[in-house]
Amino acid sequence: MAYWLMKSEPDEVSIDDLEARHTVPWFGVRNYQARNFMRDAMQLGDRAFFYHSGCAEPGIAGICEICSPAHPDETQFDAASPYFDPKSSPEKPRWLCVDVKFVRKTQLLTLAEMRGFAELSQMQTLQRGNRLSITPVSPAEWDFILERLK
DNA sequence: GCCAACGTTGGC
DNA sequence: GCCAACGTTGGC
């Protein structure tokens, strides 16, 4: 059992979208490190903070759970998708995703608030220059944040 | 294998 | 819209 932080642009998929759809494929990851986390490290039942990025108020907006093994991300084969990858093929898919299911929505814990906690100073997603859309969260960080989520 | 150029992420 | 940081590409 491991913990994660997964970034999504709310314009594309927000916590409200996830709540409405119950489960969504985590499509659009085009970074090998993030892909490898999904392929090699994630397990069914792992929980993740659902983080809103690229928006006016970035931060943790809810909690979701990994509910499928890694499988090919269909958007890579769709020429009309911004995530289309001409170098990938269904025979040899390059990009994977997992499905996540809605657990709960929380009051937004903003990035600014997260940066204010000394207990979170080592959190990977808060490190300078970090751009990974999926990062591991330590059990201590998970518990600390969970206690502060409303 | 090096590395410059370029593209992307994402906060501000 | 800006820009720091960093990943990827491709020529050599």
Side-chain angles (χ1 to χ4, degrees):
Chain A
M1 174 82 169
Y3 301 109
W4 306 94
L5 181 142
M6 301 172 78
K7 295 181 187 176
S8 180
E9 299 194 7
D11 284 353
E12 188 152 39
V13 181
S14 70
I15 189 71
D16 290 326
D17 296 328
L18 180 60
E19 181 170 25
R21 294 165 58 187
H22 309 297
T23 153
V24 296
W26 204 263
F27 62 89
V29 170
R30 295 295 179 268
N31 170 286
Y32 290 106
Q33 248 184 291
R35 180 203 67 182
N36 294 347
F37 280 142
M38 292 193 284
R39 187 188 63 191
D40 305 330
M42 277 185 178
Q43 308 234 339
L44 287 180
D46 279 2
R47 293 216 160 178
F49 292 128
F50 190 109
Y51 180 96
H52 284 173
S53 69
C55 55
E57 273 212 296
I60 292 172
I63 295 172
C64 60
E65 183 176 311
I66 310 308
C67 66
S68 86
H71 58 87
D73 175 347
E74 293 303 322
T75 63
Q76 72 195 302
F77 310 127
D78 177 2
S81 167
Y83 298 115
F84 178 62
D85 184 348
K87 292 177 183 167
S88 189
S89 69
E91 296 72 35
K92 233 190 162 189
R94 175 179 297 201
W95 304 111
L96 304 172
C97 61
V98 295
D99 297 342
V100 305
K101 74 177 179 193
F102 179 79
V103 174
R104 74 180 174 99
K105 192 175 163 175
T106 66
Q107 203 178 90
L108 189 76
L109 180 69
T110 67
L111 175 60
E113 289 172 317
M114 291 169 69
R115 290 201 190 283
F117 293 120
E119 291 87 344
L120 301 181
S121 63
Q122 297 306 308
M123 209 175 162
Q124 188 170 340
T125 194
L126 300 183
Q127 301 311 300
R128 179 185 175 84
N130 173 78
R131 294 185 312 165
L132 267 187
S133 63
I134 298 176
T135 49
V137 173
S138 77
E141 291 162 349
W142 178 270
D143 291 343
F144 182 85
I145 292 172
L146 205 57
E147 281 171 21
R148 279 152 190 86
L149 287 177
K150 298 194 174 75

